[in-house]
């Protein structure tokens, strides 16, 4: 089987290599992709959308419809993980909860979670395989979080002018939550961004994108034609398009952040969102 | 002979992508570990992304963001933004697929206690 | 507002999916109604669009206001508009018919299921109407990703089969993406109409003049064949569809293979043009061999199955062979047959899968459980009989007409082996369905599971037959689809004139 696979793969590789003869060489200035369509983006981006970063204008405006479905794919991945993995709690199943008495370090195992209030000052809930945290790691990681988040907001907002945008900023935001999860525990993340909020935020993000598209119909434009908002913003068409790009990028960032945190929580806790990495 | 080498030198990146692609395909066919298959799929998709991004390269061109000194009169001064956008989409799609695949693998591991495909199939047949 | 119909056909599904996600926390009880409403709105817009396009001709919708090839466009021509109506109608019927199953199969997660279901339908509808080759890839992934998730719930092997489907499906989509990369590197465009013009200039005498374009066609074909489960790439299909819970299979099975066959036709008609697509004799021969093998393999494996849904899955495999083969016979009649068969097969598989899920629910899916079916579930059994007769190819059902076109195309192309495979597969289908009819009419019914007092007796005695039909809410969509089989058969001439002849190039022989 392995030999056969190797043989087939080598054969396919040789066949593929044989098809490369007509391709332009690397960096050819006169290749078809460099001459057709893409000059229109490069020359049109600034006058038509007020966006010096061509990638952003192509992503969110000229081909914004692709990006809407791309955001939908992200949302879909979150919903799929939820659908496949989430172990919703059933009644009548007893679970063991561990509480640590902070002053003495004594650990209590309890069958019901209600005996000790979750935010008690001298007890804390811990994972079954709890290990004492390294104070240096925890403090440094938590110290980093606000800087990561501010940088993420910069990446989202400055996507018109420099590399960046909704996807990159959203991933950075999600990374800040995941860093909290790695340095503390999953429950801290859950208390910062609950599962319900995350799912609602993911849906809201895609809704912002698709809603911006649909609302353009009311202003007489086509779907996702931000230029139709010119009269609404009281600005010229290119400025309205630039504004529209910013709005959809915010929607994208919201969805990406919420979905990635959701997937992290589900995969790291085997679907229980109780305890994990 | 010399021309052949020159031809190869101009096109070497395509051959590299096809080689990477086939490595991924081999992992998907020959490995029985589901996670390794997943990695194979990732390698396969990455090769295609490299292929696309290489299309956007132009000699003497900078990043696709307006340089005030150059303006936009000459499109040859900027790399082609379209393949980059397309691959941003493809990357997101492949991340989403990977997330779903990991969720499925985790559930399979929960149900069968292993992620070796042949062992799972043996177990299922045993029942 | 009529100019906006192409987008209004897809938008309700997107917003419906977000509404049910939010509804999980706000109005959980109304979620089913919200999802059904979204599907109904999308169906209504599609039907209006189809009526408008069939009477007034093709409309191109510029998304974002950007004209192609700069922006993405939706192309509503007679073929895509009619397909859109069929896809959304099929999804609505499945959804209405499987309310009870959704509630029992996914007790705590039905909001998530609704969202995934709606997005799967949105993906399939987008594939049908888009005029941009890369947008098609994104939509294929939207449709597929939700399919992987909803097929994963079910019997024990469902997870593994779904993961297998994910690997194979992603591989197919990636190959399609690679093929598009070949086209992009040669032409610089992603819009289908633009691509078609440039390919015509680059290779005026057919694809054999350009290695890269021929390779692009080959790679795209390989990707599509993997996605639709043509013979050597089929192993994922029966497993994924037969182990999953019934509503997921009833949605995904009729749609995915047909929509992929539609993409194949779209590639032939709109991207490469038939002359170029058929200009490589080696490819045509190879594809015809694969299609013939698929028909024979699917038919004979179907003979060996002991359960209804698995048998249907293998019939599905042979139907894929019909459509692919017809698309490569290289003449007008065969291509007409392929396009007509996409519609016909969508209805037939929908009818059979809906009937099968009723039967599974009422008696159990194995043939041995199905004795006395015509007495116990007369309406379901009648609908299944109609679906079966159409599959066999009995007039006036639509299955007859597609086979007629395909056969005449095969004979005029001189491809007698393919014609023989078509006839043989019809015979096998006849054997398959008459076996079921025989069990259903003359077989002894199994003891009703709950109230089986008779089983306690020492000797088997005939159990009185009783009518145990499903509620009307489940039967109505099934009856509509079954009636559609006859209606479509009677309207064959109109459909071919309006939707098929309008998109085939006039000079096609």
């Amino acid at each position: 089987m392995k030999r056969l696979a190797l043989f087939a793969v080598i054969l396919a590789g040789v066949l593929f290599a044989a098809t490369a003869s007509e391709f332009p060489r690397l960096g050819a200035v006169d290749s078809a992709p460099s001459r057709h369509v893409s000059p229109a983006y490069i020359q049109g981006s600034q006058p038509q959308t007020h966006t010096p970063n061509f990638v952003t204008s192509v992503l969110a405006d000229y081909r914004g419809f692709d990006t809407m479905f791309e955001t939908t794919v992200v949302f879909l991945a979150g919903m799929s993980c939820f659908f496949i993995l989430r172990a919703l709690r059933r009644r009548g199943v007893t679970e063991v909860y561990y509480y640590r008495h902070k002053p003495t370090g004594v650990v209590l195992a309890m069958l019901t979670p209600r005996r000790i209030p979750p935010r008690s000052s001298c007890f804390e809930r811990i994972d079954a395989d709890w290990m004492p945290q390294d104070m240096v790691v925890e403090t440094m990681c938590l110290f980093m979080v606000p800087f990561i988040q501010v940088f993420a907001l910069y990446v989202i907002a400055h996507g018109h002018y420099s590399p960046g945008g909704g996807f990159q900023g959203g991933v950075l935001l999600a990374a800040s939550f995941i860093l909290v999860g790695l340095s503390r525990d999953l429950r801290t993340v859950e208390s910062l961004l609950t599962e319900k909020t995350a799912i609602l935020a993911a849906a809201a993000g895609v809704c912002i994108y698709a809603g911006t598209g649909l609302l353009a119909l009311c202003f007489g434009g086509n779907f996702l034609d931000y230029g139709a908002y010119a009269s609404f913003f009281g600005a010229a068409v290119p400025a309205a398009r630039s504004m529209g790009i910013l709005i959809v990028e915010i929607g994208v960032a919201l969805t990406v952040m919420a979905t990635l945190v959701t997937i992290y929580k589900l995969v790291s806790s085997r679907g229980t969102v109780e305890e994990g990495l | 002979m010399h021309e052949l080498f020159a031809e190869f030198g101009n096109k070497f990146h395509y051959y590299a992508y096809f080689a990477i692609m086939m490595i991924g395909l081999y992992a998907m066919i020959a490995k029985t570990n589901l996670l390794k298959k997943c990695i194979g799929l990732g390698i396969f998709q990455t090769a295609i992304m490299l292929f696309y991004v290489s299309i956007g390269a132009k000699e003497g061109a900078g990043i696709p963001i307006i340089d005030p000194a150059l303006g936009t009169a000459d499109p040859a001064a900027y790399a082609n933004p379209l393949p980059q956008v397309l691959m941003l989409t493809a990357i997101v799609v492949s991340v989403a697929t990977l997330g779903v695949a990991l969720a499925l693998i985790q559930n399979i591991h929960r149900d069968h206690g292993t992620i070796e495909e042949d062992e799972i199939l043996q177990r299922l047949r045993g029942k | 507002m009529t100019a906006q119909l192409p987008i209004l056909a897809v938008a309700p599904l997107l917003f419906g999916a977000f509404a049910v996600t939010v509804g999980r926390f706000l109005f959980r009880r109304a979620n089913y109604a919200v999802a059904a409403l979204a599907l109904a709105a999308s169906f209504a817009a599609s039907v209006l669009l189809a009526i408008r396009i069939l009477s007034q001709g093709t409309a191109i919708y510029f998304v974002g206001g950007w004209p192609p090839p700069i922006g993405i466009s939706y192309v509503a021509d007679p073929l895509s508009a009619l397909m859109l109506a069929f896809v959304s109608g099929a999804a609505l019927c499945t959804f209405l018919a499987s309310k009870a199953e959704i509630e029992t199969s996914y007790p705590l997660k039905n909001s998530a299921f609704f969202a995934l279901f709606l997005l799967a339908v949105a993906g399939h509808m987008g594939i049908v109407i888009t005029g941009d080759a890369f947008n098609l890839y994104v939509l294929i992934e939207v449709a597929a990703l939700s399919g992987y998730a909803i097929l994963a719930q079910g019997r024990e092997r469902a997870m593994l089969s779904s993961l297998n489907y994910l690997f194979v499906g992603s591989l197919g989509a990636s190959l399609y993406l690679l093929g598009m990369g070949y086209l992009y590197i040669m032409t610089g465009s992603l819009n289908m109409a633009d691509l078609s013009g440039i390919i015509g200039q680059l290779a005026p005498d057919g694809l054999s003049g350009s290695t890269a374009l021929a390779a692009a066609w080959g790679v795209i074909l390989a990707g599509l064949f993997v996605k639709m489960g043509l013979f050597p790439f089929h192993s994922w299909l029966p497993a994924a569809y037969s182990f999953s819970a019934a509503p997921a299979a009833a949605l995904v099975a009729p749609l995915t293979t047909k929509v992929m066959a539609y993409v194949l036709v779209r590639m032939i008609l709109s991207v490469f043009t038939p002359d170029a697509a058929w200009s490589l004799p080696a490819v045509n021969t190879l594809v015809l061999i694969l299609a013939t093998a698929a028909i024979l393999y699917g038919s004979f494996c179907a003979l060996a199955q002991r359960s209804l849904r698995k048998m249907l899955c293998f019939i599905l495999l042979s139907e894929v062979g019909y459509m692919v083969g017809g698309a490569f016979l290289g003449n007008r009649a065969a291509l007409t047959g392929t396009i007509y068969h996409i519609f016909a097969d969508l209805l037939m598989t929908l009818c059979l899968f809906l009937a099968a899920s009723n039967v599974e629910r009422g008696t159990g899916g194995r043939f041995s459980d199905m004795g006395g079916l015509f007495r116990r579930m007369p309406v379901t059994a009648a609908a299944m009989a109609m679906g079966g007769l159409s599959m066999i190819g009995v007039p006036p059902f639509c299955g007859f007409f597609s086979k007629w076109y395909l056969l005449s195309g095969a004979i005029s192309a001189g491809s007698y082996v393919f014609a023989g495979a078509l006839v043989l597969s019809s015979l096998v289908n006849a054997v398959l369905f008459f076996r079921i009819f025989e069990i259903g009419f003359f077989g002894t019914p199994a003891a009703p599971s709950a109230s089986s007092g008779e089983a306690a007796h020492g000797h088997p005695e005939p159990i009185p037959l009783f009518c145990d039909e499903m509620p009307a809410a489940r039967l109505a969509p099934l009856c509509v689809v079954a009636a559609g089989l006859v209606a479509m058969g009677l309207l064959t001439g109109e459909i071919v004139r309006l939707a098929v002849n309008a998109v085939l190039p006039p000079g096609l022989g």
Side-chain angles (χ1 to χ4, degrees), chain C residues 400-469:
Chain C
F400 167 74
F401 297 97
S402 57
K403 282 218 176 104
W404 179 257
Y405 277 113
L406 284 171
L407 262 180
S408 59
I411 289 168
S412 68
S415 178
Y416 297 105
V417 180
F418 186 70
L422 280 176
V423 174
L424 191 64
S425 133
S426 300
L427 289 178
V428 172
N429 280 354
V431 172
L432 287 170
F433 283 103
F434 278 105
R435 189 170 60 176
I436 294 179
F437 300 157
E438 190 199 342
I439 299 172
F441 265 118
F442 305 115
T444 12
S449 51
S451 59
S452 56
E454 290 87 344
H457 294 295
H459 52 93
E461 62 183 52
I463 303 154
L465 291 171
F466 57 97
C467 186
D468 186 20
E469 190 49 275

Side-chain angles (χ1 to χ4, degrees), chain C residues 65-439:
Chain C
W66 299 109
I70 293 187
I72 292 169
S73 58
Y74 264 9
V75 180
D77 62 5
L79 178 59
S80 65
L82 195 64
M83 186 73 187
L84 209 58
F86 268 72
V87 169
S88 59
L92 182 64
C93 284
T94 313
F95 193 72
L96 292 179
S98 36
K99 179 171 193 267
E101 253 119 356
I102 295 170
E103 276 160 6
T104 50
S105 308
Y106 320 104
L108 295 165
K109 295 178 185 166
N110 53 30
S111 315
F113 177 82
F114 294 151
L116 293 171
F117 188 101
L118 290 178
L119 288 176
V121 181
H124 284 113
M125 290 180 67
I127 293 175
V128 169
I129 198 176
T130 190
D132 188 276
F134 188 80
N135 195 233
L136 185 67
Y137 165 75
V138 181
L139 288 161
I140 286 178
E141 289 288 7
V142 170
L145 206 58
S146 36
Y148 307 143
I150 57 179
L151 287 173
Q153 303 283 341
R155 280 188 279 155
E156 197 180 26
R157 283 179 82 155
M159 288 280 172
L160 191 61
S161 356
S162 179
L163 184 67
N164 202 3
Y165 176 30
L166 185 147
F167 287 141
V168 178
S170 305
L171 195 66
S174 301
L175 283 174
Y176 171 83
L177 181 65
L178 181 68
M180 266 314 134
Y182 273 58
L183 284 188
Y184 180 66
I185 206 171
M186 297 309 289
T187 64
S189 180
L190 291 166
N191 182 271
M192 289 186 189
D194 196 32
L195 275 173
S196 159
I198 300 175
I199 291 173
Q201 286 168 15
L202 285 178
D205 309 321
L207 296 181
S208 47
S210 162
T211 326
L213 288 178
W217 182 222
V219 176
I220 290 174
L221 277 184
L224 292 179
F225 289 164
V226 171
K227 287 289 297 183
M228 69 173 99
L230 188 71
F231 166 60
F233 316 114
H234 64 278
S235 58
W236 58 270
L237 192 147
Y241 291 169
S242 54
F243 293 117
S244 79
L251 172 77
V252 180
L255 288 190
T256 304
T257 49
K258 255 55 77 184
V259 168
M260 283 302 141
Y262 169 88
V263 174
L264 177 67
V265 170
R266 224 351 88 202
M267 288 289 142
I268 292 177
L269 286 178
S270 311
V271 177
F272 286 90
T273 66
D275 289 337
W278 295 333
S279 62
L280 300 168
V283 171
N284 292 352
T285 315
L286 182 66
V287 173
L288 269 181
I289 292 172
L290 291 185
T292 312
I295 294 174
L296 297 176
Y297 176 85
S299 297
F300 286 112
C301 283
L303 272 177
Q305 301 308 315
R306 310 293 313 153
S307 85
L308 187 56
R309 193 157 18 134
K310 207 136 194 206
M311 179 190 99
L312 292 181
C313 289
F314 281 100
I315 293 183
L316 210 59
L317 284 184
S318 69
E319 301 288 309
V320 169
Y322 286 23
M323 292 181 280
V324 172
F328 278 86
L329 281 171
N331 58 42
R332 191 180 187 93
L335 194 57
T336 309
T338 296
I339 297 174
Y340 185 81
H341 194 64
I342 292 174
F343 293 113
D345 199 28
L346 182 60
L347 281 186
M348 294 191 290
T349 31
L350 182 66
C351 179
L352 287 171
F353 268 87
L354 286 182
S357 79
N358 275 4
V359 171
E360 262 175 51
R361 202 170 165 77
T363 65
R366 302 179 67 80
F367 291 153
S368 51
D369 305 331
M370 284 162 51
L373 190 70
F374 280 84
R375 295 276 180 89
R376 295 172 62 185
M377 305 172 79
V379 184
T380 302
M384 189 151 83
M386 287 167 80
L389 290 176
S390 183
M391 221 33 135
I392 298 166
V394 178
F397 296 103
C398 53
F400 167 74
F401 297 97
S402 57
K403 282 218 176 104
W404 179 257
Y405 277 113
L406 284 171
L407 262 180
S408 59
I411 289 168
S412 68
S415 178
Y416 297 105
V417 180
F418 186 70
L422 280 176
V423 174
L424 191 64
S425 133
S426 300
L427 289 178
V428 172
N429 280 354
V431 172
L432 287 170
F433 283 103
F434 278 105
R435 189 170 60 176
I436 294 179
F437 300 157
E438 190 199 342
I439 299 172

Side-chain angles (χ1 to χ4, degrees), chain A residues 16 18-24 31-34 36-38 40-41 48-49 61-66 68-70 72-77 79-90 195-197 199-200 203-204 206-207 210-212 214 217 220-226 241, chain C residues 1 4 7-8 10-11 14-15 17-18 21-22 24-25 61-66 69-72 74 106 108-109 111-113 115-116 119 132 134-135 138-139 141-142 145-146 148-150 152-153 159 175 178 182 184-190 194 198 209-213 215 219:
Chain A
F16 270 118
T19 61
S21 57
E22 279 177 41
F23 288 166
S31 65
S34 313
H36 192 50
V37 183
S38 89
Y41 296 134
Q48 287 169 343
T49 67
D61 197 348
Y62 295 108
R63 295 186 68 88
F65 197 56
D66 267 351
M68 189 185 85
F69 278 107
E70 188 185 346
T72 312
V73 168
V74 175
F75 171 72
L76 201 51
M79 288 309 281
S80 301
C81 283
F82 179 84
F83 184 69
I84 294 167
L85 215 49
R86 183 73 168 101
L88 291 166
R89 205 180 302 152
R90 302 240 173 80
E195 196 180 26
K196 182 178 167 181
T197 323
I199 290 178
L200 288 180
V206 205
C207 246
T212 313
L214 199 67
L217 264 56
N222 274 0
F223 190 74
L224 281 176
D225 185 353
Y226 317 129
R241 287 194 171 275
Chain C
M1 220 49 191
Q4 305 288 347
I7 201 73
L8 291 179
V10 182
L14 288 175
F15 285 98
F18 310 140
T21 312
V22 177
R24 180 183 153 74
F25 305 106
Y61 182 83
F62 301 159
V63 180
W66 299 109
I70 293 187
I72 292 169
Y74 264 9
Y106 320 104
L108 295 165
K109 295 178 185 166
S111 315
F113 177 82
L116 293 171
L119 288 176
D132 188 276
F134 188 80
N135 195 233
V138 181
L139 288 161
E141 289 288 7
V142 170
L145 206 58
S146 36
Y148 307 143
I150 57 179
Q153 303 283 341
M159 288 280 172
L175 283 174
L178 181 68
Y182 273 58
Y184 180 66
I185 206 171
M186 297 309 289
T187 64
S189 180
L190 291 166
D194 196 32
I198 300 175
S210 162
T211 326
L213 288 178
V219 176

Side-chain angles (χ1 to χ4, degrees), chain B residues 44-103:
Chain B
F44 189 86
Q45 289 174 326
T46 309
I48 296 176
M49 290 166 203
L50 287 169
F51 175 74
Y52 264 87
V53 170
S54 77
I55 300 176
K58 286 183 208 165
E59 258 162 21
I63 57 168
I65 297 175
I66 288 185
D67 184 346
L70 291 174
T72 55
D74 179 20
Y78 303 100
N80 185 349
L82 189 54
Q84 306 193 4
V85 173
L86 302 181
M87 284 312 102
L88 192 57
T89 307
I91 289 168
V92 170
V93 167
S94 95
V95 167
T97 314
L98 189 66
V100 176
L102 286 179

Side-chain angles (χ1 to χ4, degrees), chain A residues 104-152:
Chain A
T104 58
V106 176
V107 175
L108 303 175
M110 313 199 88
L111 289 180
T112 59
R114 294 202 191 80
R115 295 281 177 74
I116 295 165
R119 292 180 196 278
S120 159
S121 57
C122 56
F123 280 97
E124 62 172 348
R125 220 186 114 198
I126 56 168
D127 293 352
D129 53 352
W130 183 80
M131 295 269 285
Q133 291 282 1
D134 186 340
M135 192 209 257
V136 176
V137 171
E138 190 178 330
T139 314
M140 281 315 293
C141 288
L142 294 183
F143 174 75
M144 290 294 290
V145 166
F147 294 99
I148 296 176
Q149 291 185 338
V150 169
F151 182 65

